[in-house]
Amino acid sequence: MNLDTIKEIQSKQSYPSVTITLPTYRTSPDNDKDPIRLKNLVSEAVNRLETEFGKRETADIAEAIHRLADSVDHEHNLDGLVIFASTEYSELFKLPFRLPERVSIENNFLTRDLVYAMNRSPLYLLTVLSENGSRLFVGRKDHLNEVNAYGFPFSLENATAGANPSQDISHVRDQIVTDQMREIGEALAEAQKQIPAPIVVVGVDRNIGHFRDGARNSEDVMLYIHSGHSDENEHQLAKNIWPQVKEALDEERQKVFGELENAKGNNLFVGGLNEIWQAATDGRADVLVVEEDLHLPAAVSEDGRTLTLLEEGFEPNENTYDDIVDEMIEKVLANGGRVKFVDNDSLKEINPSHGIAVITRY
């Protein structure tokens, strides 16, 4: 699952579109109940489909949901599972982060939980620089998953074999290392397009120096950790670097409040719900800032410009949404904007009306 996959899923428009999410467990005995919980959610989804839209009309979607659910090998679950199903698209994903237990039936798929998991801290890209093989990991809190893509792992083995004997071998090797660090920087930039997260670089002073000299994006690194760690396994590495990474992520998260204050001073701040919706719809939203647990059921007017908040238990139709915040997130991402999540109630001083705000492009 990466940003491109999420954008593809967000582009699917079909009514009804079913999203089933649930937290799962990697090991026994915790994962023993995963099949039962999934079966219950599948039953809820199919019953709602048949009640709201008719059994014959939704038979294909129900079949896809059952097929995907039956395909799950619960002995190899991760931390979350999501099923998407409509007449035009059906897929299942196992994900390395927790998801809520939920069934959603809308005119598109509910991706808010996926976006939140990919944008919230602590999510980071970690590269460990080593002449024996520079590695890349995706980190979530103190858990690391190695990524063998974008050219990783990079190795300098036999890199100096073709050097001219008349040349200073140490100088040649320094240049080779610097050149490879440029490649690593470019690979990190590609990884960041798919996994929008800050970068952490770990290495001995010498290799970090080569990275700063060679990588064009070296100034974009959130944190440098000057230490070896190159021979550590994922568990040891995560345990050792997490305290520094956590502190850096906390500092990074606070920066958005300064961005919001600057936006107010430059008339680029939008705080009204309808104005936020319109900025997201029109492609003017550069940064959407959302409190973590904000959910707003709403109806959209016929002209698509005005929102009306709804109470629980409303009668659903094609113009109503269980959570209009998810729709805003999808529109902002589709137009190249960014989404940042902040702690609950942390926007009260900046925008007392709602736990959401936008920094516009113009």
Side-chain angles (χ1 to χ4, degrees), residues 14 16 19 58 70 75 115 140 150 171-172 217 238 242 266 280 289 312 314 323 335:
S14 179
T19 307
T58 58
D70 291 343
E75 292 299 314
V115 175
R140 286 182 173 88
Y150 314 107
H171 175 75
V172 171
N217 55 345
W242 171 238
N266 294 319
V289 185
E312 287 189 14
F314 64 88
D323 184 16
N335 288 299

Side-chain angles (χ1 to χ4, degrees), residues 3-51:
L3 193 55
D4 281 351
T5 307
I6 290 177
K7 287 183 177 180
E8 179 191 353
I9 294 168
Q10 289 171 342
S11 71
K12 309 293 184 184
Q13 299 284 328
S14 179
Y15 192 62
S17 294
V18 179
T19 307
I20 299 173
T21 63
L22 73 154
T24 53
Y25 296 88
R26 297 177 183 240
T27 58
S28 182
D30 294 327
N31 64 9
D32 292 347
K33 295 181 179 179
D34 287 349
I36 298 172
R37 291 166 47 247
L38 176 58
K39 182 179 179 180
N40 290 339
L41 290 174
V42 167
S43 296
E44 177 187 341
V46 171
N47 289 338
R48 284 178 57 184
L49 281 173
E50 294 177 351
T51 300

Side-chain angles (χ1 to χ4, degrees), residues 280-319:
T281 301
D282 297 342
R284 293 189 297 113
D286 184 31
V287 183
L288 176 68
V289 185
V290 186
E291 290 183 358
E292 289 179 352
D293 296 326
L294 180 68
H295 295 271
L296 298 172
V300 181
S301 62
E302 289 297 327
D303 65 1
R305 306 296 290 175
T306 305
L307 301 180
T308 303
L309 293 181
L310 301 172
E311 299 293 332
E312 287 189 14
F314 64 88
E315 189 69 27
N317 60 53
E318 291 191 32
N319 294 321

Side-chain angles (χ1 to χ4, degrees), residues 133-332:
S134 295
R135 297 179 291 165
L136 175 66
F137 301 86
V138 175
R140 286 182 173 88
K141 295 187 177 180
D142 56 352
H143 295 282
L144 296 174
N145 289 302
E146 186 160 7
V147 178
N148 292 316
Y150 314 107
F152 287 95
F154 285 82
S155 177
L156 279 177
E157 189 175 354
N158 300 322
T160 59
N164 189 319
S166 65
Q167 292 177 291
D168 182 346
I169 193 66
S170 63
H171 175 75
V172 171
R173 187 170 184 82
D174 282 347
Q175 188 57 52
I176 289 173
V177 174
T178 299
D179 289 344
Q180 187 179 82
M181 294 304 171
R182 181 175 61 252
E183 294 179 24
I184 291 173
E186 292 169 356
L188 283 170
E190 287 302 311
Q192 204 172 32
K193 290 178 183 177
Q194 300 296 312
I195 306 168
I199 294 172
V200 178
V201 173
V202 176
V204 297
D205 291 350
R206 180 181 67 257
N207 287 334
I208 286 180
H210 285 304
F211 183 86
R212 287 184 179 276
D213 290 339
R216 296 185 181 93
N217 55 345
S218 62
E219 297 303 315
D220 297 330
V221 172
M222 178 185 72
L223 174 67
Y224 286 98
I225 298 177
H226 293 258
S227 182
H229 299 306
S230 60
D231 296 326
E232 295 177 347
N233 62 37
E234 293 180 14
H235 177 73
Q236 293 170 323
L237 179 61
K239 181 181 178 181
N240 287 327
I241 59 95
W242 171 238
Q244 295 178 69
V245 174
K246 183 179 185 301
E247 184 178 348
L249 286 167
D250 289 342
E251 292 176 3
E252 193 73 16
R253 197 170 197 181
Q254 294 303 310
K255 290 180 181 178
V256 71
F257 297 102
E259 294 177 27
L260 288 169
E261 292 294 349
N262 289 337
K264 277 191 171 183
N266 294 319
N267 295 318
L268 297 175
F269 175 91
V270 173
L273 203 58
N274 283 323
E275 289 76 13
I276 292 172
W277 172 254
Q278 291 164 14
T281 301
D282 297 342
R284 293 189 297 113
D286 184 31
V287 183
L288 176 68
V289 185
V290 186
E291 290 183 358
E292 289 179 352
D293 296 326
L294 180 68
H295 295 271
L296 298 172
V300 181
S301 62
E302 289 297 327
D303 65 1
R305 306 296 290 175
T306 305
L307 301 180
T308 303
L309 293 181
L310 301 172
E311 299 293 332
E312 287 189 14
F314 64 88
E315 189 69 27
N317 60 53
E318 291 191 32
N319 294 321
T320 61
Y321 297 89
D322 287 338
D323 184 16
I324 201 66
V325 175
D326 186 63
E327 300 301 310
M328 294 179 182
I329 288 170
E330 293 179 0
K331 289 178 182 294
V332 170

